[in-house]
Amino acid sequence: KGVSMVAERLRKSVEALEIEINDDCIEATISVGVTSYFISQGQKQKSEIISEADMALYNSKNTGRNKTSVYNV
């Protein structure tokens, strides 16, 4: 649960930014996908962990963007 809280804080921080470019203020948002790994679950390859986070990221993008999604096993 901790990683999703960190990711959501990051998302909200980016959303709150006011970026000025040539006297124009633009808004930015991000979509975030996270997963977690616990040694007690057994070994996982790095590629599997990255794939899980990637699936969560695409869930965020496909269900509205500007959100955090967590991969659930």
Side-chain angles (χ1 to χ4, degrees), residues 32-64:
V32 182
V34 296
T35 190
S36 58
Y37 167 67
F38 299 96
I39 294 172
S40 62
Q41 294 174 331
Q43 286 192 320
K44 278 190 181 180
Q45 297 294 319
K46 284 188 252 181
S47 60
E48 185 178 359
I49 296 168
I50 292 168
S51 178
E52 290 174 357
D54 195 47
M55 284 188 268
L57 170 62
Y58 278 95
N59 181 65
S60 288
K61 289 181 174 185
N62 292 329
T63 59

Side-chain angles (χ1 to χ4, degrees), residues 1 4-6 8 13 15 17 19-20 24 31 36 42 46 48 58-60 62-65 71-73:
K1 192 153 189 165
S4 62
M5 289 173 49
V6 171
E8 184 61 12
S13 294
E15 183 180 40
L17 289 175
I19 304 166
E20 289 188 40
D24 287 327
S31 296
S36 58
K46 284 188 252 181
E48 185 178 359
Y58 278 95
N59 181 65
S60 288
N62 292 329
T63 59
R65 299 181 179 244
Y71 179 85
N72 292 312
V73 181

